[in-house]
Amino acid sequence: MPDHRSDEPDPERLAALEKKLAAVRKTQEPPPQRADHHLSQANMAWRMVIEMVSGLGIGFGIGYGLDVLLGTMPWMMVLFTLLGLAAGVKVMLRSAKEMNEERAAEMADEEEDDRGKS
């Protein structure tokens, strides 16, 4: 017959309680967030900004250089700045398409993994 006056807790009951608590914690904890996903989105955003700015800068530089050489002061600069803008937008849209394709492939892989677990 167990001694009810003992200050020591029953180790078997404590172990069972720990197992129950661990099971409940697993069901209630949120899924781990992928920090690399957020990081890759930030990297992609910076890449797109740099592509746009570099297109504008290169177009401006070529146009300004031609204006100085040819003496047609604002015209070539305006023309090549607009061409640089168009090139920057085109490259940026290509990057966005690439990012969407990667995201679609990731989602397809995740769905395939979920189907395999069921």
Short mmCIF file of all heavy atoms in Angstrom, two decimals, residues 16-79:
data_model
loop_
_atom_site.label_atom_id
_atom_site.label_comp_id
_atom_site.label_asym_id
_atom_site.label_seq_id
_atom_site.Cartn_x
_atom_site.Cartn_y
_atom_site.Cartn_z
N ALA A 16 3.73 9.76 -17.40
CA ALA A 16 2.52 9.73 -18.21
C ALA A 16 2.03 11.15 -18.49
O ALA A 16 1.61 11.47 -19.61
CB ALA A 16 1.44 8.91 -17.51
N LEU A 17 2.10 12.01 -17.47
CA LEU A 17 1.69 13.40 -17.64
C LEU A 17 2.59 14.12 -18.65
O LEU A 17 2.11 14.88 -19.49
CB LEU A 17 1.70 14.11 -16.29
CG LEU A 17 1.28 15.58 -16.30
CD1 LEU A 17 -0.15 15.72 -16.79
CD2 LEU A 17 1.45 16.18 -14.92
N GLU A 18 3.89 13.88 -18.58
CA GLU A 18 4.83 14.49 -19.52
C GLU A 18 4.53 14.07 -20.95
O GLU A 18 4.59 14.87 -21.87
CB GLU A 18 6.28 14.12 -19.16
CG GLU A 18 6.83 14.87 -17.97
CD GLU A 18 6.96 16.36 -18.23
OE1 GLU A 18 7.25 16.76 -19.39
OE2 GLU A 18 6.76 17.13 -17.29
N LYS A 19 4.19 12.79 -21.15
CA LYS A 19 3.86 12.31 -22.49
C LYS A 19 2.60 13.00 -23.02
O LYS A 19 2.54 13.41 -24.18
CB LYS A 19 3.65 10.79 -22.48
CG LYS A 19 4.93 10.01 -22.38
CD LYS A 19 4.64 8.52 -22.42
CE LYS A 19 5.91 7.72 -22.26
NZ LYS A 19 5.66 6.28 -22.25
N LYS A 20 1.61 13.15 -22.15
CA LYS A 20 0.38 13.82 -22.57
C LYS A 20 0.64 15.27 -22.92
O LYS A 20 0.13 15.79 -23.91
CB LYS A 20 -0.68 13.72 -21.46
CG LYS A 20 -1.27 12.35 -21.29
CD LYS A 20 -2.29 12.35 -20.18
CE LYS A 20 -2.84 10.95 -19.92
NZ LYS A 20 -3.81 10.96 -18.81
N LEU A 21 1.44 15.95 -22.10
CA LEU A 21 1.76 17.36 -22.35
C LEU A 21 2.54 17.51 -23.67
O LEU A 21 2.29 18.44 -24.44
CB LEU A 21 2.57 17.95 -21.19
CG LEU A 21 1.80 18.26 -19.92
CD1 LEU A 21 2.74 18.70 -18.82
CD2 LEU A 21 0.77 19.34 -20.18
N ALA A 22 3.46 16.62 -23.90
CA ALA A 22 4.24 16.69 -25.15
C ALA A 22 3.34 16.50 -26.36
O ALA A 22 3.49 17.20 -27.37
CB ALA A 22 5.34 15.64 -25.14
N ALA A 23 2.37 15.59 -26.27
CA ALA A 23 1.45 15.35 -27.39
C ALA A 23 0.59 16.59 -27.64
O ALA A 23 0.36 16.99 -28.78
CB ALA A 23 0.58 14.13 -27.10
N VAL A 24 0.11 17.21 -26.57
CA VAL A 24 -0.72 18.40 -26.72
C VAL A 24 0.10 19.56 -27.30
O VAL A 24 -0.37 20.29 -28.16
CB VAL A 24 -1.36 18.79 -25.36
CG1 VAL A 24 -2.01 20.14 -25.43
CG2 VAL A 24 -2.37 17.73 -24.95
N ARG A 25 1.33 19.70 -26.85
CA ARG A 25 2.19 20.78 -27.37
C ARG A 25 2.46 20.61 -28.85
O ARG A 25 2.50 21.59 -29.60
CB ARG A 25 3.50 20.82 -26.60
CG ARG A 25 3.37 21.41 -25.22
CD ARG A 25 4.72 21.51 -24.53
NE ARG A 25 4.55 21.93 -23.15
CZ ARG A 25 5.13 21.37 -22.11
NH1 ARG A 25 5.97 20.35 -22.28
NH2 ARG A 25 4.92 21.83 -20.90
N LYS A 26 2.66 19.38 -29.30
CA LYS A 26 2.92 19.14 -30.72
C LYS A 26 1.72 19.54 -31.56
O LYS A 26 1.88 20.06 -32.65
CB LYS A 26 3.25 17.68 -30.96
CG LYS A 26 4.68 17.31 -30.63
CD LYS A 26 4.97 15.89 -31.03
CE LYS A 26 6.41 15.52 -30.69
NZ LYS A 26 6.72 14.14 -31.06
N THR A 27 0.52 19.26 -31.08
CA THR A 27 -0.67 19.59 -31.87
C THR A 27 -0.94 21.08 -31.87
O THR A 27 -1.55 21.59 -32.80
CB THR A 27 -1.91 18.85 -31.34
OG1 THR A 27 -2.16 19.24 -29.99
CG2 THR A 27 -1.74 17.35 -31.44
N GLN A 28 -0.51 21.80 -30.85
CA GLN A 28 -0.83 23.22 -30.74
C GLN A 28 0.26 24.15 -31.23
O GLN A 28 0.02 25.32 -31.42
CB GLN A 28 -1.18 23.57 -29.29
CG GLN A 28 -2.47 22.94 -28.84
CD GLN A 28 -2.83 23.34 -27.42
OE1 GLN A 28 -2.05 23.96 -26.73
NE2 GLN A 28 -4.02 22.97 -27.01
N GLU A 29 1.47 23.65 -31.45
CA GLU A 29 2.54 24.54 -31.89
C GLU A 29 2.35 24.86 -33.37
O GLU A 29 1.95 24.03 -34.16
CB GLU A 29 3.91 23.95 -31.61
CG GLU A 29 4.30 22.79 -32.48
CD GLU A 29 5.64 22.22 -32.09
OE1 GLU A 29 6.11 22.46 -30.97
OE2 GLU A 29 6.22 21.52 -32.93
N PRO A 30 2.62 26.13 -33.76
CA PRO A 30 2.47 26.50 -35.17
C PRO A 30 3.56 25.84 -36.01
O PRO A 30 4.62 25.50 -35.50
CB PRO A 30 2.63 28.02 -35.15
CG PRO A 30 3.43 28.30 -33.92
CD PRO A 30 3.05 27.23 -32.94
N PRO A 31 3.28 25.66 -37.29
CA PRO A 31 4.31 25.06 -38.14
C PRO A 31 5.51 25.99 -38.24
O PRO A 31 5.36 27.21 -38.19
CB PRO A 31 3.62 24.92 -39.50
CG PRO A 31 2.49 25.87 -39.47
CD PRO A 31 2.08 26.00 -38.03
N PRO A 32 6.69 25.44 -38.34
CA PRO A 32 7.88 26.29 -38.40
C PRO A 32 7.87 27.14 -39.65
O PRO A 32 7.54 26.66 -40.74
CB PRO A 32 9.04 25.29 -38.41
CG PRO A 32 8.46 24.03 -38.91
CD PRO A 32 7.02 24.03 -38.46
N GLN A 33 8.18 28.43 -39.48
CA GLN A 33 8.23 29.32 -40.63
C GLN A 33 9.59 29.21 -41.28
O GLN A 33 10.60 29.11 -40.60
CB GLN A 33 7.96 30.75 -40.19
CG GLN A 33 6.55 30.96 -39.71
CD GLN A 33 6.29 32.43 -39.43
OE1 GLN A 33 7.18 33.25 -39.49
NE2 GLN A 33 5.06 32.74 -39.10
N ARG A 34 9.56 29.28 -42.58
CA ARG A 34 10.81 29.17 -43.32
C ARG A 34 11.40 30.55 -43.48
O ARG A 34 10.90 31.37 -44.24
CB ARG A 34 10.55 28.53 -44.68
CG ARG A 34 10.14 27.09 -44.55
CD ARG A 34 9.83 26.45 -45.85
NE ARG A 34 10.60 26.97 -46.96
CZ ARG A 34 10.28 26.79 -48.22
NH1 ARG A 34 9.22 26.11 -48.53
NH2 ARG A 34 11.03 27.27 -49.18
N ALA A 35 12.46 30.82 -42.77
CA ALA A 35 13.11 32.12 -42.85
C ALA A 35 13.76 32.31 -44.21
O ALA A 35 13.84 33.43 -44.71
CB ALA A 35 14.15 32.26 -41.75
N ASP A 36 14.21 31.23 -44.83
CA ASP A 36 14.86 31.36 -46.13
C ASP A 36 13.88 31.82 -47.20
O ASP A 36 14.26 32.49 -48.15
CB ASP A 36 15.53 30.05 -46.53
CG ASP A 36 14.56 28.90 -46.69
OD1 ASP A 36 13.46 28.96 -46.10
OD2 ASP A 36 14.89 27.93 -47.40
N HIS A 37 12.59 31.48 -47.04
CA HIS A 37 11.59 31.91 -48.00
C HIS A 37 11.45 33.43 -47.98
O HIS A 37 11.42 34.07 -49.01
CB HIS A 37 10.26 31.23 -47.70
CG HIS A 37 9.18 31.58 -48.66
ND1 HIS A 37 9.21 31.21 -49.98
CD2 HIS A 37 8.04 32.30 -48.51
CE1 HIS A 37 8.13 31.66 -50.59
NE2 HIS A 37 7.41 32.32 -49.71
N HIS A 38 11.36 34.01 -46.77
CA HIS A 38 11.25 35.46 -46.64
C HIS A 38 12.53 36.12 -47.13
O HIS A 38 12.49 37.17 -47.76
CB HIS A 38 10.97 35.85 -45.20
CG HIS A 38 9.65 35.34 -44.70
ND1 HIS A 38 8.45 35.78 -45.22
CD2 HIS A 38 9.34 34.45 -43.75
CE1 HIS A 38 7.46 35.16 -44.61
NE2 HIS A 38 7.97 34.34 -43.71
N LEU A 39 13.65 35.50 -46.85
CA LEU A 39 14.92 36.06 -47.27
C LEU A 39 15.02 36.04 -48.79
O LEU A 39 15.46 37.02 -49.39
CB LEU A 39 16.07 35.28 -46.64
CG LEU A 39 17.47 35.79 -46.92
CD1 LEU A 39 17.62 37.20 -46.36
CD2 LEU A 39 18.49 34.88 -46.30
N SER A 40 14.58 34.98 -49.41
CA SER A 40 14.67 34.91 -50.86
C SER A 40 13.73 35.92 -51.52
O SER A 40 14.06 36.47 -52.56
CB SER A 40 14.38 33.51 -51.37
OG SER A 40 13.01 33.22 -51.29
N GLN A 41 12.58 36.19 -50.91
CA GLN A 41 11.69 37.21 -51.46
C GLN A 41 12.32 38.59 -51.35
O GLN A 41 12.21 39.40 -52.27
CB GLN A 41 10.34 37.18 -50.75
CG GLN A 41 9.47 36.04 -51.16
CD GLN A 41 8.11 36.09 -50.50
OE1 GLN A 41 7.89 36.78 -49.52
NE2 GLN A 41 7.18 35.34 -51.04
N ALA A 42 12.99 38.86 -50.23
CA ALA A 42 13.66 40.15 -50.08
C ALA A 42 14.80 40.27 -51.08
O ALA A 42 14.99 41.33 -51.69
CB ALA A 42 14.18 40.29 -48.65
N ASN A 43 15.55 39.19 -51.27
CA ASN A 43 16.63 39.22 -52.26
C ASN A 43 16.07 39.45 -53.66
O ASN A 43 16.67 40.19 -54.45
CB ASN A 43 17.42 37.91 -52.22
CG ASN A 43 18.30 37.80 -51.01
OD1 ASN A 43 18.62 38.80 -50.37
ND2 ASN A 43 18.71 36.59 -50.70
N MET A 44 14.95 38.82 -53.97
CA MET A 44 14.36 39.00 -55.29
C MET A 44 13.87 40.43 -55.47
O MET A 44 14.03 41.02 -56.55
CB MET A 44 13.20 38.01 -55.48
CG MET A 44 12.61 38.02 -56.87
SD MET A 44 13.76 37.64 -58.19
CE MET A 44 13.96 35.90 -57.95
N ALA A 45 13.30 41.02 -54.43
CA ALA A 45 12.84 42.40 -54.53
C ALA A 45 14.02 43.34 -54.78
O ALA A 45 13.95 44.23 -55.63
CB ALA A 45 12.10 42.79 -53.25
N TRP A 46 15.11 43.14 -54.04
CA TRP A 46 16.30 43.99 -54.26
C TRP A 46 16.86 43.78 -55.65
O TRP A 46 17.33 44.72 -56.30
CB TRP A 46 17.37 43.71 -53.21
CG TRP A 46 17.14 44.50 -51.97
CD1 TRP A 46 16.77 44.03 -50.76
CD2 TRP A 46 17.25 45.92 -51.83
NE1 TRP A 46 16.64 45.07 -49.87
CE2 TRP A 46 16.92 46.25 -50.51
CE3 TRP A 46 17.58 46.95 -52.71
CZ2 TRP A 46 16.93 47.55 -50.03
CZ3 TRP A 46 17.58 48.26 -52.23
CH2 TRP A 46 17.26 48.54 -50.91
N ARG A 47 16.85 42.55 -56.12
CA ARG A 47 17.35 42.27 -57.47
C ARG A 47 16.54 43.04 -58.50
O ARG A 47 17.09 43.63 -59.44
CB ARG A 47 17.27 40.76 -57.72
CG ARG A 47 17.64 40.36 -59.13
CD ARG A 47 17.50 38.86 -59.29
NE ARG A 47 17.48 38.51 -60.71
CZ ARG A 47 17.23 37.31 -61.15
NH1 ARG A 47 16.99 36.32 -60.31
NH2 ARG A 47 17.21 37.06 -62.43
N MET A 48 15.21 43.06 -58.32
CA MET A 48 14.35 43.76 -59.27
C MET A 48 14.60 45.26 -59.23
O MET A 48 14.63 45.92 -60.28
CB MET A 48 12.89 43.42 -59.00
CG MET A 48 12.58 41.96 -59.27
SD MET A 48 10.97 41.48 -58.67
CE MET A 48 10.00 41.80 -60.12
N VAL A 49 14.79 45.82 -58.05
CA VAL A 49 15.06 47.25 -57.93
C VAL A 49 16.39 47.59 -58.59
O VAL A 49 16.51 48.57 -59.33
CB VAL A 49 15.06 47.68 -56.44
CG1 VAL A 49 15.64 49.06 -56.26
CG2 VAL A 49 13.65 47.60 -55.87
N ILE A 50 17.40 46.78 -58.36
CA ILE A 50 18.72 47.02 -58.94
C ILE A 50 18.66 46.93 -60.46
O ILE A 50 19.29 47.72 -61.17
CB ILE A 50 19.76 46.05 -58.34
CG1 ILE A 50 20.02 46.44 -56.89
CG2 ILE A 50 21.04 46.04 -59.14
CD1 ILE A 50 20.83 45.42 -56.12
N GLU A 51 17.90 45.96 -60.97
CA GLU A 51 17.77 45.84 -62.42
C GLU A 51 17.12 47.08 -63.03
O GLU A 51 17.54 47.57 -64.08
CB GLU A 51 16.95 44.59 -62.78
CG GLU A 51 17.70 43.30 -62.53
CD GLU A 51 16.82 42.07 -62.59
OE1 GLU A 51 15.58 42.21 -62.60
OE2 GLU A 51 17.39 40.96 -62.62
N MET A 52 16.10 47.60 -62.36
CA MET A 52 15.42 48.78 -62.87
C MET A 52 16.35 50.00 -62.83
O MET A 52 16.47 50.73 -63.82
CB MET A 52 14.16 49.05 -62.04
CG MET A 52 13.46 50.34 -62.41
SD MET A 52 12.78 50.32 -64.05
CE MET A 52 11.34 49.36 -63.75
N VAL A 53 17.00 50.21 -61.72
CA VAL A 53 17.87 51.37 -61.57
C VAL A 53 19.07 51.28 -62.52
O VAL A 53 19.48 52.28 -63.12
CB VAL A 53 18.33 51.53 -60.10
CG1 VAL A 53 19.40 52.58 -59.95
CG2 VAL A 53 17.13 51.88 -59.23
N SER A 54 19.62 50.08 -62.68
CA SER A 54 20.77 49.95 -63.58
C SER A 54 20.35 50.19 -65.03
O SER A 54 21.11 50.80 -65.80
CB SER A 54 21.44 48.59 -63.41
OG SER A 54 20.57 47.56 -63.77
N GLY A 55 19.17 49.75 -65.42
CA GLY A 55 18.69 50.03 -66.77
C GLY A 55 18.55 51.52 -67.01
O GLY A 55 18.97 52.05 -68.05
N LEU A 56 17.98 52.23 -66.03
CA LEU A 56 17.85 53.68 -66.15
C LEU A 56 19.22 54.35 -66.19
O LEU A 56 19.46 55.25 -67.01
CB LEU A 56 17.05 54.24 -64.97
CG LEU A 56 15.55 54.09 -65.05
CD1 LEU A 56 14.91 54.42 -63.71
CD2 LEU A 56 15.00 54.99 -66.13
N GLY A 57 20.12 53.92 -65.32
CA GLY A 57 21.45 54.54 -65.25
C GLY A 57 22.25 54.32 -66.53
O GLY A 57 22.90 55.25 -67.03
N ILE A 58 22.22 53.11 -67.04
CA ILE A 58 22.97 52.83 -68.27
C ILE A 58 22.38 53.61 -69.44
O ILE A 58 23.12 54.20 -70.25
CB ILE A 58 22.98 51.31 -68.55
CG1 ILE A 58 23.85 50.61 -67.51
CG2 ILE A 58 23.49 51.02 -69.95
CD1 ILE A 58 23.74 49.10 -67.53
N GLY A 59 21.06 53.64 -69.54
CA GLY A 59 20.43 54.43 -70.61
C GLY A 59 20.76 55.90 -70.51
O GLY A 59 21.07 56.56 -71.50
N PHE A 60 20.70 56.43 -69.29
CA PHE A 60 21.04 57.85 -69.08
C PHE A 60 22.49 58.11 -69.47
O PHE A 60 22.80 59.09 -70.15
CB PHE A 60 20.80 58.23 -67.62
CG PHE A 60 21.23 59.63 -67.29
CD1 PHE A 60 20.40 60.70 -67.59
CD2 PHE A 60 22.45 59.88 -66.70
CE1 PHE A 60 20.78 61.99 -67.30
CE2 PHE A 60 22.85 61.16 -66.41
CZ PHE A 60 22.01 62.23 -66.71
N GLY A 61 23.40 57.22 -69.04
CA GLY A 61 24.82 57.41 -69.34
C GLY A 61 25.10 57.39 -70.83
O GLY A 61 25.85 58.23 -71.35
N ILE A 62 24.52 56.44 -71.55
CA ILE A 62 24.73 56.36 -73.00
C ILE A 62 24.15 57.60 -73.68
O ILE A 62 24.79 58.21 -74.55
CB ILE A 62 24.11 55.07 -73.57
CG1 ILE A 62 24.90 53.85 -73.09
CG2 ILE A 62 24.06 55.11 -75.09
CD1 ILE A 62 24.25 52.53 -73.42
N GLY A 63 22.95 57.97 -73.28
CA GLY A 63 22.32 59.15 -73.89
C GLY A 63 23.09 60.43 -73.62
O GLY A 63 23.30 61.24 -74.53
N TYR A 64 23.55 60.61 -72.40
CA TYR A 64 24.32 61.81 -72.06
C TYR A 64 25.64 61.84 -72.84
O TYR A 64 26.05 62.88 -73.36
CB TYR A 64 24.58 61.86 -70.56
CG TYR A 64 25.31 63.11 -70.12
CD1 TYR A 64 24.63 64.31 -70.02
CD2 TYR A 64 26.66 63.06 -69.81
CE1 TYR A 64 25.29 65.46 -69.62
CE2 TYR A 64 27.34 64.19 -69.42
CZ TYR A 64 26.65 65.40 -69.33
OH TYR A 64 27.32 66.53 -68.95
N GLY A 65 26.29 60.68 -72.93
CA GLY A 65 27.54 60.61 -73.69
C GLY A 65 27.34 60.95 -75.15
O GLY A 65 28.14 61.69 -75.75
N LEU A 66 26.29 60.43 -75.76
CA LEU A 66 26.01 60.75 -77.16
C LEU A 66 25.65 62.22 -77.33
O LEU A 66 26.03 62.84 -78.33
CB LEU A 66 24.89 59.85 -77.69
CG LEU A 66 25.26 58.40 -77.94
CD1 LEU A 66 24.02 57.60 -78.32
CD2 LEU A 66 26.32 58.29 -79.02
N ASP A 67 24.91 62.78 -76.36
CA ASP A 67 24.57 64.20 -76.43
C ASP A 67 25.83 65.07 -76.40
O ASP A 67 25.93 66.05 -77.13
CB ASP A 67 23.64 64.60 -75.28
CG ASP A 67 22.19 64.31 -75.59
OD1 ASP A 67 21.83 64.20 -76.78
OD2 ASP A 67 21.40 64.20 -74.62
N VAL A 68 26.77 64.73 -75.55
CA VAL A 68 28.01 65.50 -75.46
C VAL A 68 28.79 65.38 -76.77
O VAL A 68 29.32 66.37 -77.29
CB VAL A 68 28.85 65.04 -74.26
CG1 VAL A 68 30.26 65.62 -74.30
CG2 VAL A 68 28.17 65.41 -72.96
N LEU A 69 28.87 64.18 -77.33
CA LEU A 69 29.61 63.97 -78.57
C LEU A 69 28.94 64.63 -79.77
O LEU A 69 29.61 65.20 -80.63
CB LEU A 69 29.78 62.47 -78.84
CG LEU A 69 30.74 61.71 -77.94
CD1 LEU A 69 30.69 60.22 -78.27
CD2 LEU A 69 32.16 62.24 -78.11
N LEU A 70 27.61 64.52 -79.83
CA LEU A 70 26.90 65.00 -81.01
C LEU A 70 26.35 66.41 -80.85
O LEU A 70 25.90 67.01 -81.85
CB LEU A 70 25.76 64.03 -81.36
CG LEU A 70 26.17 62.58 -81.64
CD1 LEU A 70 24.95 61.71 -81.84
CD2 LEU A 70 27.09 62.52 -82.85
N GLY A 71 26.32 66.94 -79.66
CA GLY A 71 25.81 68.30 -79.43
C GLY A 71 24.30 68.39 -79.53
O GLY A 71 23.76 69.45 -79.85
N THR A 72 23.58 67.32 -79.25
CA THR A 72 22.10 67.31 -79.32
C THR A 72 21.52 67.28 -77.91
O THR A 72 20.67 66.45 -77.61
CB THR A 72 21.63 66.08 -80.10
OG1 THR A 72 22.15 64.91 -79.46
CG2 THR A 72 22.08 66.12 -81.54
N MET A 73 21.92 68.18 -77.08
CA MET A 73 21.86 68.06 -75.63
C MET A 73 20.71 67.27 -75.01
O MET A 73 20.96 66.23 -74.48
CB MET A 73 22.03 69.40 -74.94
CG MET A 73 22.49 69.23 -73.50
SD MET A 73 23.55 67.82 -73.33
CE MET A 73 24.37 68.06 -71.88
N PRO A 74 19.48 67.60 -74.96
CA PRO A 74 18.63 66.72 -74.15
C PRO A 74 18.07 65.52 -74.89
O PRO A 74 17.56 64.60 -74.28
CB PRO A 74 17.51 67.65 -73.68
CG PRO A 74 17.34 68.61 -74.78
CD PRO A 74 18.73 68.80 -75.36
N TRP A 75 18.12 65.50 -76.22
CA TRP A 75 17.35 64.52 -76.97
C TRP A 75 17.84 63.08 -76.81
O TRP A 75 17.05 62.18 -76.58
CB TRP A 75 17.28 64.91 -78.44
CG TRP A 75 16.62 66.24 -78.60
CD1 TRP A 75 17.20 67.40 -78.99
CD2 TRP A 75 15.27 66.56 -78.29
NE1 TRP A 75 16.29 68.42 -78.95
CE2 TRP A 75 15.08 67.92 -78.52
CE3 TRP A 75 14.18 65.82 -77.83
CZ2 TRP A 75 13.88 68.56 -78.32
CZ3 TRP A 75 12.97 66.46 -77.64
CH2 TRP A 75 12.83 67.81 -77.88
N MET A 76 19.09 62.85 -76.99
CA MET A 76 19.61 61.48 -76.85
C MET A 76 19.49 60.99 -75.41
O MET A 76 19.21 59.83 -75.16
CB MET A 76 21.07 61.39 -77.31
CG MET A 76 21.27 61.56 -78.77
SD MET A 76 20.61 60.13 -79.63
CE MET A 76 20.98 60.56 -81.30
N MET A 77 19.72 61.91 -74.47
CA MET A 77 19.61 61.54 -73.06
C MET A 77 18.18 61.09 -72.73
O MET A 77 17.98 60.06 -72.08
CB MET A 77 20.02 62.72 -72.17
CG MET A 77 20.02 62.41 -70.70
SD MET A 77 20.61 63.78 -69.71
CE MET A 77 19.37 65.02 -70.03
N VAL A 78 17.20 61.84 -73.21
CA VAL A 78 15.80 61.48 -72.97
C VAL A 78 15.47 60.15 -73.65
O VAL A 78 14.86 59.26 -73.05
CB VAL A 78 14.86 62.61 -73.45
CG1 VAL A 78 13.41 62.15 -73.44
CG2 VAL A 78 15.04 63.85 -72.61
N LEU A 79 15.89 60.02 -74.91
CA LEU A 79 15.59 58.80 -75.66
C LEU A 79 16.21 57.57 -75.00
O LEU A 79 15.52 56.57 -74.77
CB LEU A 79 16.12 58.94 -77.10
CG LEU A 79 16.00 57.69 -77.96
CD1 LEU A 79 14.52 57.40 -78.25
CD2 LEU A 79 16.79 57.85 -79.24
#
